[in-house]
Amino acid sequence: MYNFTMQIPTKVHFGKGTISHLSELAEYGKKVLLVYGGGSIKKNGIYDVAQELLKAAGLKVYELSGVEPNPRIQTVRQGVEICKKESIDMILAIGGGSTIDCSKVVAAGAKYDGDAWDLVLDGSKIKAALPIFDVLTLSATGTEMDAFAVISDLTKNEKWGTGAQCLIPTMSILDPEYTFSVSKKQTAAGTADMMSHTMENYFSMENADCQKFMAEGLLRTMIKNGPIALREPDNYDARANLMWAGTHAINGIVGDGCSPAWCVHPMEHELSAFYDITHGEGLAILTPAWMEHVLSEKTLPHFVDFAKNVWGLDDDDEWALAHAGIDALKKFFFETMGIPANLRAVGIEDEKNFDIMAEKASKPCANAYVPLTKEDIIEIFKAAF
């Protein structure tokens, strides 16, 4: 285990009715920018509840609506403009990971003199941000308790992650009931997303038993509760366990001290940048293909542990056991959760962009658990096609 510094300053209010804590925002100023997506929060009533609580706390509310599933830099710029023009004191995001990610870069852009895209390309330029608050409505990305955000500029086919300590939300409200209305498609994709976060950390852990065993527990929690949430959308315990597991998958508790650069996420970011597909579905499609590509004598012990400790499998033949663990993941994603099984199934009709996507993904993948070259990534894309 290598050295690390962990600081997770987010105050979490978890459970039914915790949206009442929005009154605490009054401690941070008088003007709040409310950020949300396509309007589902108006249909399910969260918008009205939040407006009532904010106004009762004496806050003046401004709005940025229409945040996209893969949030665009153009929308970020709109939010920054509002913040600067109206002297906004804080940001409140109500939604899933895309809404919160957008809010984070808006918060940083409001404290930056240049274009917000600079902050996406170079996180070291993020020196300050407005306080960020969120009400989570989709369990997936874990952005409600981490320092990172992912923003796209589809006019350039670019999607990049950025991060800074000041982007960690000040307060997150996690009410599992607010995820009851999430569709089957997004429930499945969200489960795949949080599993991918956990596995990106898990397949690198040496001499980090604490993180490894926690990661295995998180994966088992997701595997158990994902299908229940699909069958019973209003099952509070299933939604609650998914929500809390998704938060812990990426807040540092299972990655700090043992995780090198990720590789499946940079590959999927290229898919989303070129084809605007659902992030969790892309991760689910790529992950088994990546696993089969990197399985070797060196990585075999990790895959054996994955099969035994996550899926409960056993076989005296370690190679057969490793492959059985990968097959179990495929079955879970593509049969149990109903996620599209290959890139063609999400509308990618040919391989014409694989070369340029692999070239762009190869830089972050060069320092991964198993370093990947451009040629490796092309092979993985083809295997997933």
Side-chain angles (χ1 to χ4, degrees):
M1 194 186 305
Y2 51 72
N3 294 1
F4 64 93
T5 299
M6 177 184 287
Q7 182 181 11
I8 310 175
T10 307
K11 179 189 288 187
V12 175
H13 295 295
F14 190 101
K16 300 177 183 179
T18 50
I19 196 170
S20 62
H21 289 279
L22 286 183
S23 60
E24 296 175 19
L25 272 63
E27 302 171 16
Y28 295 85
K30 293 294 184 182
K31 296 181 179 181
V32 56
L33 179 64
L34 172 60
V35 183
Y36 57 98
S40 62
I41 67 167
K42 291 185 176 179
K43 296 176 183 177
N44 59 27
I46 302 174
Y47 175 87
D48 290 336
V49 173
Q51 285 280 11
E52 183 179 343
L53 288 165
L54 294 171
K55 290 176 181 177
L59 290 162
K60 186 172 183 180
V61 182
Y62 298 81
E63 295 189 18
L64 174 66
S65 62
V67 176
E68 307 84 357
N70 285 309
R72 314 288 199 265
I73 187 59
Q74 291 81 5
T75 306
V76 170
R77 289 176 179 135
Q78 292 175 29
V80 171
E81 183 178 358
I82 296 170
C83 288
K84 291 183 175 180
K85 179 181 178 181
E86 304 295 345
S87 300
I88 297 294
D89 296 312
M90 71 204 82
I91 313 290
L92 170 62
I94 302 181
S98 295
T99 298
I100 301 172
D101 280 8
C102 178
S103 298
K104 288 180 175 182
V105 184
V106 169
K111 294 284 189 177
Y112 180 67
D113 290 335
D115 181 30
W117 188 242
D118 298 344
L119 308 179
V120 177
L121 297 178
D122 185 359
S124 69
K125 292 184 177 180
I126 302 174
K127 304 300 183 183
L130 296 174
I132 302 155
F133 304 85
D134 64 81
V135 179
L136 186 66
T137 63
L138 174 63
S139 303
T141 70
T143 191
E144 66 274 7
M145 205 177 183
D146 75 18
F148 308 107
V150 180
I151 303 295
S152 300
D153 186 342
L154 297 190
T155 67
K156 302 176 181 177
N157 296 123
E158 293 189 3
K159 179 177 179 178
W160 301 110
T162 190
Q165 187 72 15
C166 61
L167 297 188
I168 299 176
T170 298
M171 182 177 77
S172 292
I173 292 170
L174 310 184
D175 184 342
E177 291 188 323
Y178 288 161
T179 64
F180 286 0
S181 61
V182 173
S183 69
K184 287 187 175 182
K185 172 187 171 75
Q186 292 299 334
T187 296
T191 301
D193 193 358
M194 64 180 76
M195 288 180 68
S196 179
H197 295 159
T198 310
M199 290 184 289
E200 293 266 36
N201 290 319
Y202 180 75
F203 285 100
S204 62
M205 294 177 174
E206 295 184 87
N207 305 315
D209 290 347
C210 183
Q211 294 95 318
K212 177 183 174 182
F213 297 152
M214 284 192 289
E216 289 170 348
L218 289 174
L219 287 169
R220 291 197 298 270
T221 299
M222 298 161 190
I223 291 165
K224 174 184 176 182
N225 290 283
I228 297 173
L230 283 186
R231 294 192 307 267
E232 307 169 30
D234 58 352
N235 186 308
Y236 183 86
D237 289 332
R239 294 291 192 180
N241 278 288
L242 281 177
M243 181 172 271
W244 199 225
T247 297
H248 284 308
I250 197 173
N251 65 4
I253 200 166
V254 298
D256 286 359
C258 58
S259 180
W262 291 5
C263 60
V264 179
H265 273 70
M267 289 189 288
E268 198 292 320
H269 285 171
E270 294 306 318
L271 291 177
S272 295
F274 278 82
Y275 300 102
D276 199 20
I277 67 173
T278 300
H279 178 56
E281 291 184 345
L283 292 171
I285 293 166
L286 289 176
T287 297
W290 166 80
M291 288 180 166
E292 290 170 339
H293 187 85
V294 302
L295 179 59
S296 66
E297 288 282 357
K298 182 178 179 180
T299 63
L300 179 62
H302 288 153
F303 284 95
V304 168
D305 286 344
F306 179 66
K308 286 183 175 180
N309 300 336
V310 174
W311 296 106
L313 304 175
D314 202 6
D315 193 312
D316 291 336
D317 184 335
E318 290 192 335
W319 284 98
L321 184 57
H323 284 293
I326 298 171
D327 288 343
L329 182 66
K330 288 182 182 178
K331 183 176 181 180
F332 179 78
F333 280 158
F334 307 139
E335 296 181 25
T336 304
M337 300 303 288
I339 295 172
N342 53 56
L343 297 180
R344 296 187 305 279
V346 293
I348 299 175
E349 299 177 352
D350 53 52
E351 302 177 8
K352 68 179 182 180
N353 291 314
F354 285 6
D355 187 84
I356 186 172
M357 291 192 303
E359 176 69 32
K360 291 169 71 177
S362 62
K363 184 176 181 180
C365 290
N367 298 310
Y369 160 63
V370 175
L372 299 177
T373 64
K374 173 184 174 180
E375 290 70 28
D376 290 319
I377 297 169
I378 291 174
E379 287 185 22
I380 293 169
F381 283 150
K382 288 183 175 180
F385 185 67

